[in-house]
Amino acid sequence: MGKVIAFSNQKGGSGKSTLSANLSVLWSNSGYKVAVIDADAQKSLSYWLEARKSYYGEDDIGITQLNFDIRNLIDEIKAIKRKYDFIIIDSPPSITFETMQVVKASDRVFVPVQPSPVDLMATLPFLKIAKQERKNPIIILNRVMPRAKLTDAMILRLRYAGAKIARSRLSSKVLFAETFSVGRGVVDISVTSDASKEIINVGNEILRNF
Ligand SMILES: Nc1ncnc2c1ncn2[C@@H]1O[C@H](COP(=O)(O)OP(=O)(O)OP(=O)(O)O)[C@@H](O)[C@H]1O
Ligand SMILES: [Mg+2]
């Protein structure tokens, strides 16, 4: 049965599309059947898929895009879930009806966040909603700068708010932006780069949380 994974956060620019693209490439290149759903009206992931088709050829991108009417998302996913190993949903940066459909349709919700106090605190309302829906939301810290430390106080506040934070993190690397713009993922280029090691770790940690 396919695992339905959403990357969601109402905070814009936190890394939802970057994680959606890179994990779909990771699992597809590892031999799994992967589908993606772009639930964001900005359509960044759809542009990424178009660029991927230009790069690899229309039928050789290794990833299926599913275009569902957001109003029927839950039923549509149920109907096709068994055809894929992973269904990855890229969410809009909002807490709207669309986002709620994404959360409800998913088995697990992962929440990319840039590790600034403002971004983390702005994420708490979304975590609360995902928890109410029993999706075991887990924060994935993204664009972590070398030597930048989350203060203990901040981590404590998050823990008190009931937030779970993944051990695996993504650092700020231009490779993530460069590969995205040409329809690729970091593991397409080399599986041994630092960026790829981070994506592989995130992928493994996601699987451990099922
Ligand atoms: N780890 C990273 N290192 C460097 N650049 C990154 C990283 N993660 C994301 N970016 C860049 O930051 C920008 C925002 O990332 P992304 O589009 O993944 O966020 P998003 O949450 O999907 O945004 P939106 O809310 O607008 O949909 C993009 O230009 C992306 O290439
Ligand atoms: Mg996006």
Side-chain angles (χ1 to χ4, degrees):
M1 186 61 103
K3 295 177 168 54
V4 186
I5 296 167
F7 291 102
S8 298
N9 189 347
Q10 85 272 29
K11 189 85 184 136
S14 55
K16 300 177 285 294
S17 303
T18 301
L19 276 158
S20 299
N22 276 286
L23 286 157
S24 61
V25 170
L26 172 70
W27 286 323
S28 161
N29 289 10
S30 305
Y32 293 103
K33 290 186 87 175
V34 178
V36 294
I37 297 172
D38 186 357
D40 182 7
Q42 296 180 98
K43 294 289 164 218
S44 311
L45 198 69
S46 303
Y47 290 124
W48 175 79
L49 284 161
E50 286 310 308
R52 191 164 181 81
K53 285 178 191 164
S54 312
Y55 194 95
Y56 289 104
E58 186 81 22
D59 301 321
D60 295 316
I61 63 167
I63 297 161
T64 305
Q65 182 170 20
L66 302 173
N67 292 302
F68 292 147
D69 185 328
I70 197 87
R71 287 167 297 184
N72 306 325
L73 190 65
I74 299 164
D75 290 339
E76 300 268 25
I77 286 182
K78 260 188 207 145
I80 50 88
K81 210 175 159 175
R82 58 179 54 81
K83 289 191 186 167
Y84 299 96
D85 298 305
F86 296 98
I87 299 170
I88 294 172
I89 314 179
D90 186 14
S91 307
S94 54
I95 303 182
T96 53
F97 169 76
E98 284 78 10
T99 309
M100 287 314 298
Q101 293 295 99
V102 170
V103 170
K104 286 176 196 289
S106 305
D107 298 319
R108 292 281 184 281
V109 174
F110 292 88
V111 186
V113 184
Q114 296 199 34
S116 81
V118 174
D119 286 45
L120 281 163
M121 293 311 153
T123 300
L124 293 179
F126 178 73
L127 287 173
K128 197 172 164 194
I129 288 169
K131 254 200 262 167
Q132 280 164 359
E133 296 291 334
R134 300 177 186 282
K135 302 300 177 179
N136 190 23
I138 297 177
I139 289 177
I140 298 177
L141 296 174
N142 182 28
R143 304 194 82 157
V144 177
M145 303 294 282
R147 290 181 295 280
K149 275 194 180 167
L150 287 177
T151 64
D152 289 349
M154 213 159 87
I155 290 179
L156 262 182
R157 274 180 76 182
L158 283 165
R159 291 265 158 78
Y160 270 115
K164 269 202 201 170
I165 307 174
R167 291 172 70 167
S168 325
R169 302 161 172 196
L170 298 187
S171 46
S172 194
K173 289 195 193 318
V174 71
L175 192 63
F176 285 112
E178 283 172 353
T179 46
F180 192 92
S181 64
V182 292
R184 305 184 78 194
V186 293
V187 302
D188 282 322
I189 294 181
S190 153
V191 291
T192 53
S193 67
D194 288 345
S196 288
K197 284 179 195 158
E198 291 179 355
I199 286 294
I200 291 166
N201 287 341
V202 168
N204 287 339
E205 190 163 352
I206 288 175
L207 295 187
R208 282 202 302 277
N209 276 286
F210 266 86

